[in-house]
Amino acid sequence: MTLSGDDYRSQGARRKLVQELRNKGITAASVLEAIGQVPRHMFFEDTALRLHAYEDKPFPIGCGQTISQPFTVAFQTQLLEVRRGDRVLEVGTGSGYQTAVLAAMGAKVWSIERHRPLFLSTRSRLESMGYKASLYHGDGFLGLPGYAPYDRILVTCGAPFVPEPLVDQLRAGGVLVIPVGEGPVQRMVRIRRAEDHSVSREEHGDFRFVPMLADRQ
Ligand code: SAH
């Protein structure tokens, strides 16, 4: 059996996943609602893996990259405190699942991916699913200055340090969520830019992401 469209079976599996995320400590109703809506199985290239799409696990998506674990997506999105209408920049489009979750929450999303094949396939996937987001092939270390400032910036790959251009592209009152660390494990960092433009930093536990790399492919 493979799942293609969105049917009662995948909807039921999503409800279970949402409950699992609640049990693991995700409380933001807007985040849980978006995870309950977005058909994660449709973001898998490999149809055999679609059966596992509602397990709380990361999976390969091609180009040596992964679709993040649902808990990680929920945790980062909750930390980001996304509000309807926010301008959000995502670094690391990958499968586009996180992009779709942000769009389902009513955010206006720009997203950058360094792998051209992923950028191309995800752009057509999101288009065909009806999600509105502006996707770019480029280097997330530079952000996307042409559309700055952003209310929220989310990095979904492990960064060796906090890139200065991303902090610069945050609006006063804005929030940047970024996993930081050079090894296989990163600290989840939340940076806030106050109204007076001073910057504060908090840490929220350890995660494992694919590395953020500079040269585009
Ligand atoms: N948000 C994605 C997660 C994909 S994994 C999802 O939900 O599927 C992280 C992605 O970051 C990978 O696709 C990787 O190619 C991309 N990436 C790594 N370094 C990057 C950079 N410097 N700029 C943009 N994207 C980058």
Side-chain angles (χ1 to χ4, degrees):
M1 182 194 65
T2 55
L3 301 169
S4 48
D6 194 25
D7 60 10
Y8 73 92
R9 208 173 316 180
S10 30
Q11 287 159 14
R14 271 206 301 286
R15 273 196 295 276
K16 276 196 191 144
L17 173 63
V18 166
Q19 190 52 49
E20 186 176 347
L21 295 177
R22 244 191 223 114
N23 297 343
K24 290 179 176 173
I26 303 297
T27 54
S30 58
V31 174
L32 293 167
E33 203 176 298
I35 301 242
Q37 276 170 19
V38 178
R40 187 173 188 249
H41 63 279
M42 293 174 74
F43 292 80
F44 285 48
E45 289 290 343
D46 182 342
T47 48
L49 285 179
R50 288 183 169 196
L51 281 172
H52 304 283
Y54 297 103
E55 293 170 17
D56 189 19
K57 289 181 188 157
F59 286 99
I61 53 171
C63 296
Q65 307 306 319
T66 55
I67 180 170
S68 299
Q69 182 179 345
F71 177 77
T72 304
V73 171
F75 189 84
Q76 284 201 292
T77 311
Q78 176 165 286
L79 274 184
L80 202 60
E81 299 174 344
V82 182
R83 302 153 306 175
R84 190 158 282 281
D86 271 350
R87 296 164 56 85
V88 180
L89 173 65
E90 177 192 22
V91 173
T93 316
S95 68
Y97 176 66
Q98 170 76 72
T99 320
V101 167
L102 292 167
M105 293 174 76
K108 189 164 171 19
V109 189
W110 287 262
S111 186
I112 316 170
E113 171 56 51
R114 82 181 259 277
H115 275 292
R116 190 166 171 80
L118 268 181
F119 154 73
L120 291 172
S121 59
T122 297
R123 187 175 59 178
S124 54
R125 169 182 300 126
L126 287 174
E127 251 171 42
S128 70
M129 293 178 75
Y131 288 107
K132 287 205 177 59
S134 305
L135 304 195
Y136 293 85
H137 174 227
D139 178 6
F141 276 100
L142 308 175
L144 201 58
Y147 299 93
Y150 303 97
D151 300 295
R152 303 288 185 257
I153 300 179
L154 177 60
V155 178
T156 68
C157 37
F161 54 85
V162 179
E164 207 50 50
L166 297 185
V167 181
D168 290 344
Q169 289 168 33
L170 262 189
R171 185 189 293 284
V175 177
L176 162 64
V177 172
I178 178 168
V180 185
E182 288 193 87
V185 177
Q186 298 88 31
R187 296 295 281 172
M188 190 64 76
V189 173
R190 175 161 67 181
I191 289 173
R192 287 182 195 275
R193 178 162 220 168
E195 295 298 335
D196 65 1
H197 288 272
S198 63
V199 167
S200 63
R201 172 186 170 125
E202 308 157 0
E203 294 191 357
H204 292 272
D206 290 341
F207 289 81
R208 282 171 185 271
F209 285 83
V210 295
M212 183 173 183
L213 301 169
D215 51 328
R216 68 175 80 175
Q217 295 192 344

